[in-house]
Amino acid sequence: MTKTTTLYVGNLSFYTTEEQLYELFSKAGEIKRIIMGLSRNTKTPCGFCFVEYYTHENALECMKYVNGTKLDERIIRTDLDPGFKEGRQFGRGRSGGQVRDEYRQEYDEARGGWGHMRAKQEEERKRQQEESYEAIATVPAGAELQINSRLGPASPSHGGSY
């Protein structure tokens, strides 16, 4: 780690662009490349990246000044990284994204909404609700007559029948 030129950057918004990252991180020195972290399944950004500088000193400078700053309303974290290897740009969670997002319970618009666990709970609730309402989707025979008889004759203010 005493010679590494790569930084791991975490807690990014899913909507942060490479251009925004270049603008912020280039203040600490010339950037060799930025590798966006991607969801393994959807190939969309999932909240982290690697920033590779040409020198170790620039990487240290960046950690010193950029760590803990806000980008897209999120406080970002930076740490020295041993170096990027192909395949590390993909999230490690079961959902293909960040492991941390799978356990998040609160709503976070910048990280795609609800955490993975909460999203599963919400899907299950909707499924159960749909099953419950499917059972009463059709009006039983004769029920329509009972409803009309309770309403009585059409009132003139309603302009006719129901």
Side-chain angles (χ1 to χ4, degrees):
M1 294 296 244
T2 59
K3 303 242 189 255
T4 187
T5 60
T6 305
L7 289 179
Y8 168 85
V9 182
N11 203 36
L12 293 173
S13 166
F14 288 4
Y15 307 104
T16 300
T17 64
E18 278 189 55
E19 290 78 21
Q20 290 172 291
L21 294 167
Y22 268 104
E23 186 178 328
L24 177 63
F25 286 88
S26 64
K27 295 178 192 291
E30 191 176 353
I31 295 172
K32 186 174 184 179
R33 66 181 175 159
I34 291 180
I35 299 107
M36 295 295 288
L38 302 173
S39 167
R40 186 174 305 282
N41 302 327
T42 62
K43 305 298 186 260
T44 57
C46 65
F48 72 97
C49 74
F50 297 95
V51 177
E52 201 172 332
Y53 287 96
Y54 284 100
T55 67
H56 177 67
E57 290 72 29
N58 288 146
L60 289 176
E61 186 89 0
C62 181
M63 270 190 52
K64 188 172 167 182
Y65 293 108
V66 177
N67 188 41
T69 61
K70 264 191 178 183
L71 179 62
D72 274 349
E73 300 301 314
R74 302 199 55 81
I75 296 173
I76 57 174
R77 297 176 290 111
T78 61
D79 202 1
L80 289 174
D81 190 80
F84 175 76
K85 288 183 176 42
E86 194 58 41
R88 287 191 65 209
Q89 74 268 33
F90 298 115
R92 297 176 302 213
R94 286 188 306 266
S95 65
Q98 290 286 76
V99 174
R100 171 181 297 237
D101 287 323
E102 292 180 0
Y103 297 101
R104 184 167 38 85
Q105 296 289 320
E106 74 284 353
Y107 182 80
D108 188 344
E109 186 177 346
R111 299 285 284 191
W114 292 106
H116 185 69
M117 298 282 285
R118 179 63 188 252
K120 274 188 173 179
Q121 291 170 347
E122 194 64 22
E123 285 175 21
E124 178 63 20
R125 186 190 66 76
K126 283 181 183 178
R127 187 188 62 73
Q128 288 175 349
Q129 192 175 30
E130 286 171 2
E131 285 176 2
S132 298
Y133 286 112
E134 272 182 26
I136 59 171
T138 59
V139 178
E144 205 171 287
L145 293 174
Q146 290 176 354
I147 292 170
N148 288 337
S149 66
R150 286 188 194 153
L151 295 174
S155 123
S157 65
H158 287 97
S161 65
Y162 293 91

